[in-house]
Amino acid sequence: MAQPVLALGAALLTLSGSVWYVPALADLRAGDDRPRSGRDTAAACVSAWGATGVTAVLFLVAGPWWVPALTAAAGAAVSCGFRTRAAVRRRREAEETARHWARLGSRAPAAADRSRTGRTAFAALLAAGLLTAAATAALLLTGGPTGPYWLTAAVPATLVALFLLLAATVAHPPAHRPAKGRPGRL
């Protein structure tokens, strides 16, 4: 009974992920019009969502539970490999851009540096939230029927929402506003 439900969940998750993998497919099709780091990032996105789709099908057709689990783990490993290569290439591209700006006698715009640190913080916190939610869901599922089944979905969803809120707050802090009142007065 659990595998058809997991298949439906993975299929819906894959369908909802189209907001990420459809633009990534467009980046891959663009070829040399996109930087190599961008294409590697797109390949990481497509491989992760592709593994989720394949896992959804395997939940329906494969007998033992470990077949879809290994497929999901392999997809995550491939995606992490592409993402790591993209980060290395992005750093090299940034260094090359800085060298080009230095030859021109100028400095690269600093806005790119600030936005990159915000994106990195956001991605790290979101990944931590997703991993925490997955581990929590796995613990709740393997622990047996100790409570209502809706709790198995609600707790991880709440964890993801909290980490998403934290990531958004850290990545985009509120603008500093001057104190009200007269200047120089505490």
Side-chain angles (χ1 to χ4, degrees), residues 10-49:
L12 290 175
L13 183 67
T14 304
L15 184 63
S16 68
S18 65
V19 297
W20 289 290
Y21 64 76
V22 170
L25 285 170
D27 283 347
L28 288 175
R29 276 193 55 87
D32 289 336
D33 289 344
R34 302 287 191 271
R36 287 184 176 181
S37 63
R39 290 187 308 231
D40 285 342
T41 302
C45 179
V46 169
S47 63
W49 286 108

Side-chain angles (χ1 to χ4, degrees), residues 43-139:
C45 179
V46 169
S47 63
W49 286 108
T52 306
V54 170
T55 302
V57 172
L58 287 176
F59 272 127
L60 290 176
V61 298
W65 63 270
W66 55 268
V67 174
L70 284 178
T71 304
V78 168
S79 179
C80 285
F82 276 124
R83 189 67 179 110
T84 301
R85 188 167 74 172
V88 169
R89 284 187 174 170
R90 184 173 293 117
R91 181 170 302 233
R92 287 180 188 158
E93 290 167 358
E95 290 170 356
E96 182 180 357
T97 301
R99 279 195 308 272
H100 289 298
W101 278 100
R103 285 184 189 155
L104 292 172
S106 183
R107 195 181 114 107
D113 294 338
R114 285 191 301 270
S115 69
R116 186 176 344 130
T117 57
R119 284 189 306 230
T120 303
F122 184 86
L125 285 169
L126 185 59
L130 290 172
L131 289 173
T132 303
T136 303
L139 286 173

